[in-house]
Amino acid sequence: RPPAQRAGADQRAVGRPVQVIWTREDDIQHGFYRPATYNVFRAALDGSGKPEAWWNRVVGPGILIQKGRAAAGVTIDPAAMEGVRNMPYDVPNVRVEWVNKDFGIPLGFWRSVGPSQNAFIVESFVDELAHAAGKDPVQYRLSLLGKSPRHRAVLELAAQEAGWGTPLPPGRARGIAV
């Protein structure tokens, strides 16, 4: 039986609440999918390599719209744009667009929606910008985090604890993200 049914039976048998811990297999067996998106980025870098303009288009389904949880009249799903519309980096000119593309696949909330996938794509693009600017990925990010002291502190600590900048054994690599 599914864990929820087992828990109900166990609770009735012992006459008190029972804590149920789902296995990963049980947790995802009957779930819905996370929203799949297609993203396009463009940026213009100034003379120092920092972005002076940033454009991002996200194409994909809106989970809040699909689930009927969006406010009346909402045409941009805020969950689909989390981690993109509120990125921590200082860029003076930002344009973020969203195109609702419902693929007809039922969506579910898997621990995180927009922030997890969008943070990955934003950070991947920031790596590309750092590379284009010829800058170290950590130093590049730090230079863009003036308005986000908390993010900056976490990045500095992560880089320090990871030994950023120290030599690595052959076949090893490091990556970093905010």
Side-chain angles (χ1 to χ4, degrees):
R1 287 186 293 181
Q5 289 179 357
R6 288 194 308 262
D10 293 343
Q11 185 173 333
R12 285 187 291 279
V14 298
R16 59 188 174 142
V18 175
Q19 179 181 6
V20 176
I21 300 174
W22 293 44
T23 67
R24 185 70 173 151
E25 292 77 14
D26 284 335
D27 190 24
I28 66 173
Q29 185 173 18
H30 301 288
F32 294 112
Y33 296 95
R34 295 175 57 107
T37 61
Y38 176 79
N39 292 266
V40 180
F41 286 89
R42 291 196 178 106
L45 303 182
D46 66 16
S48 70
K50 289 184 179 182
E52 58 186 4
W54 172 294
W55 175 79
N56 175 208
R57 176 177 290 151
V58 179
V59 179
I63 192 168
L64 294 177
I65 290 173
Q66 189 184 88
K67 296 292 186 192
R69 294 185 184 174
V74 166
T75 57
I76 297 177
D77 192 314
M81 298 309 293
E82 283 293 320
V84 173
R85 67 179 171 82
N86 55 347
M87 67 173 182
Y89 298 112
D90 294 329
V91 180
N93 302 291
V94 176
R95 180 178 175 106
V96 178
E97 302 172 357
W98 179 64
V99 177
N100 186 11
K101 177 64 178 159
D102 191 337
F103 300 107
I105 298 170
L107 304 176
F109 294 93
W110 282 104
R111 293 177 178 83
S112 174
V113 181
S116 60
Q117 67 199 29
N118 291 338
F120 175 79
I121 60 170
V122 165
E123 291 300 315
S124 296
F125 187 58
V126 172
D127 274 339
E128 291 182 27
L129 296 178
H131 180 74
K135 308 281 183 177
D136 172 81
V138 170
Q139 293 307 313
Y140 190 77
R141 284 174 169 81
L142 290 172
S143 75
L144 299 176
L145 288 171
K147 70 176 185 180
S148 304
R150 184 171 166 226
H151 289 91
R152 184 181 178 86
V154 170
L155 178 60
E156 288 172 335
L157 179 61
Q160 176 186 344
E161 292 296 316
W164 191 266
T166 59
L168 287 169
R172 296 290 182 140
R174 281 190 192 101
I176 198 149
V178 172

